[in-house]
Amino acid sequence: MLKPKVVITGLGAIAPNGNNVDTFWSALVAGKSGINSIKSYDTTDHLVTIAGEIKNFNYEDHLDRKDARKLDRFSILALVAAEEAINNAKLDSSTLDPDKIGVIIGSGVGGVATLVEQQNVLQNKGPKRVSPHFVPKMIANIAAGHIAIRWNLKGPNQTIVSACASGTDAIGIALRLIQAGDAEAIITGGSEASVLSLTIAGFANMRALSTRNNDPEAASRPFDLDRDGFILSEGSGILVIETEKHAKARNAPILAELAGYGASDDAYHVTQPSEGGAGGAKAMQRAIANAGLKPKDISYINAHGTSTPYNDKNESKAIRTVFGEYADKLKISSTKSMTGHLLGASGAVEAVASVKTIQQQIAPPTINYQIPDPECDLNYIPNKAQSFEINSVMSNSFGFGGHNGVLVFKKYINNT
């Protein structure tokens, strides 16, 4: 059975350097960082005092205040990004079969802010004061549930939890469900809101975060010799994907093709990638094959590029394993240099960036790239965006637990 072509018709994003797709993309191309000193809580006594927080955001522009009080922040961000993507796609569920439209969302930690808040209530005020909204605000699947309820989407509805690969895996699973005939369109992506005193302390104490507190915008420096850890961030990226036939039938704007997905696990270590990035390499190979391409067909890679010592060198080695001599001709960059690391939402916002890269034929830079690392010896598009012919884009996401997810996007070609 011939697999249907799956296309992207809508994009939505809210990130530390832009509260919608246009501002987010403009910031990426301009090399603008969204990393700042933390404003949401008192950082006294914290080892790390910087993060990628969303700025100048008013949820009341999108949601009723009474309704929003029942939502964790990660659900609010998902709903806002979904609204933009659905409007962008001109998707009117009232004129379509709701049973054929699904929602697949990824999140690494879900409503962790609600969990922390209500644990404090329990300890300080007693069990009778714990909110009756606690459980439905906290559970990781609830963002997908709220999107379905708001837009009456009755197709497959799932939440993917695979650490920092969650958003990428959600998009990949959505692709598979459409190809299997379980849905004609799916709202998919990731959302995360975990910039909290507890999570910052936890990541900092395992020495995963940058401590460049006095220079926040320069703290995320993927592939640079002086990198010292990632920057924890919040946000959401959402895509509307559907069969080409479904998109054409409703005259939807087709932005790009979602061509391939590959996944693997390192089965090696809880937090460190396997030596030489072997697991990531397998996921890349599978995604390229699934897209019906060869390695030399990839024009650009949006790297996982976390700015940690282990990831960056092993991802670079994995790229060399997959692409061989062609790796020297590849253009690669890490948009985390500007957004920080959105955990389960990172692959989703990077998917949005990947689609825009194809549309605009320009690739964002890796900012803060100053001192080359001999173990990271590829072309990382240092500090300034570059325009070149971009036909296919690969986006990598790797997570704690050894999870590897890779997507391949292609320029859309209308063959009919």
Side-chain angles (χ1 to χ4, degrees):
M1 180 179 174
L2 188 65
K3 293 186 299 185
K5 183 182 288 187
V6 177
V7 298
I8 298 138
T9 56
L11 301 174
I14 179 165
N17 60 344
N19 289 358
N20 55 56
V21 171
D22 287 344
T23 55
F24 164 65
W25 174 248
S26 295
L28 291 184
V29 173
K32 182 179 178 182
S33 172
I35 311 304
N36 290 107
S37 297
I38 293 169
K39 303 292 194 301
S40 58
Y41 64 85
D42 182 2
T43 60
T44 302
D45 298 329
H46 273 268
L47 179 66
V48 173
T49 63
I50 55 177
E53 294 179 302
I54 290 167
K55 304 160 191 67
N56 305 314
F57 172 61
N58 184 6
Y59 67 80
E60 292 181 29
D61 293 339
H62 307 272
L63 300 167
D64 179 81
R65 180 186 292 184
K66 183 178 179 181
D67 292 336
R69 289 178 62 190
K70 301 174 184 177
L71 301 173
D72 186 89
R73 185 172 174 84
F74 96 105
S75 291
I76 291 174
L77 298 179
L79 282 163
V80 170
E83 179 182 62
E84 182 182 18
I86 289 169
N87 289 342
N88 183 233
K90 299 179 172 59
L91 187 74
D92 183 356
S93 58
S94 68
T95 65
L96 302 168
D97 181 356
D99 291 330
K100 284 293 187 178
I101 305 176
V103 183
I104 311 292
I105 300 297
S107 185
V109 294
V112 64
T114 295
L115 177 63
V116 171
E117 172 193 80
Q118 292 303 308
Q119 174 64 25
N120 288 335
V121 171
L122 176 65
Q123 287 184 321
N124 297 321
K125 298 182 180 180
K128 292 183 180 180
R129 297 295 298 275
V130 172
S131 170
H133 300 298
F134 163 52
V135 173
K137 282 179 71 173
M138 174 201 67
I139 49 180
N141 69 294
I142 205 66
H146 281 297
I147 291 170
I149 291 166
R150 180 169 176 181
W151 283 281
N152 190 39
L153 309 176
K154 300 180 179 180
N157 192 299
Q158 300 170 8
T159 293
I160 307 301
V161 181
S162 50
C164 304
S166 299
T168 291
D169 283 335
I171 297 167
I173 296 301
L175 170 66
R176 294 284 192 265
L177 286 169
I178 289 178
Q179 290 174 334
D182 291 334
E184 292 179 339
I186 294 181
I187 316 305
T188 183
S191 188
E192 208 80 273
S194 58
V195 179
L196 306 166
S197 181
L198 176 65
T199 50
I200 290 285
F203 279 119
N205 289 347
M206 65 184 293
R207 302 186 184 279
L209 301 181
S210 171
T211 56
R212 202 180 293 260
N213 295 316
N214 294 328
D215 196 2
E217 293 186 1
S220 184
R221 41 200 319 113
F223 307 108
D224 186 87
L225 183 63
D226 283 349
R227 65 191 184 277
D228 68 330
F230 73 83
I231 309 297
L232 187 63
S233 301
E234 62 178 351
S236 179
I238 301 291
L239 286 69
V240 176
I241 68 172
E242 51 191 305
T243 65
E244 179 186 37
K245 180 180 178 181
H246 189 264
K248 284 185 172 181
R250 62 183 195 84
N251 296 314
I254 296 178
L255 310 178
E257 179 184 350
L258 177 54
Y261 166 61
S264 70
D265 195 276
D266 293 345
Y268 172 74
H269 190 274
V270 173
T271 59
Q272 292 180 18
S274 56
E275 191 64 31
K282 288 179 183 177
M284 288 185 235
Q285 290 166 337
R286 290 168 182 172
I288 293 169
N290 185 239
L293 299 175
K294 296 178 180 179
K296 64 181 177 60
D297 295 321
I298 302 297
S299 311
Y300 161 73
I301 299 176
N302 188 303
H304 187 53
T306 57
S307 186
T308 60
Y310 283 107
N311 173 85
D312 295 2
K313 70 177 182 180
N314 283 295
E315 184 173 13
S316 298
K317 290 176 182 177
I319 290 170
R320 282 213 171 274
T321 296
V322 173
F323 292 92
E325 292 182 1
Y326 179 63
D328 291 315
K329 299 179 181 179
L330 265 172
K331 307 277 190 174
I332 303 158
S333 70
S334 172
T335 47
K336 287 185 181 73
S337 61
M338 294 168 277
T339 65
H341 195 343
L342 285 75
L343 302 185
S346 61
V349 297
E350 287 154 17
V352 172
S354 296
V355 173
K356 294 297 290 184
T357 296
I358 291 172
Q359 281 190 295
Q360 301 297 320
Q361 294 289 288
I362 185 169
T366 303
I367 67 168
N368 303 319
Y369 186 81
Q370 303 296 333
I371 306 173
D373 181 345
E375 294 189 279
C376 301
D377 57 352
L378 301 171
N379 181 350
Y380 304 110
I381 311 183
N383 303 311
K384 193 171 183 179
Q386 293 182 16
S387 297
F388 53 97
E389 185 177 358
I390 303 171
N391 295 311
S392 299
V393 170
M394 172 183 287
S395 182
N396 293 340
S397 295
F398 312 135
F400 285 1
H403 302 286
N404 304 300
V406 177
L407 296 169
V408 172
F409 304 89
K410 289 169 56 177
K411 182 186 292 186
Y412 173 68
I413 299 174
N414 187 354
N415 292 321
T416 59

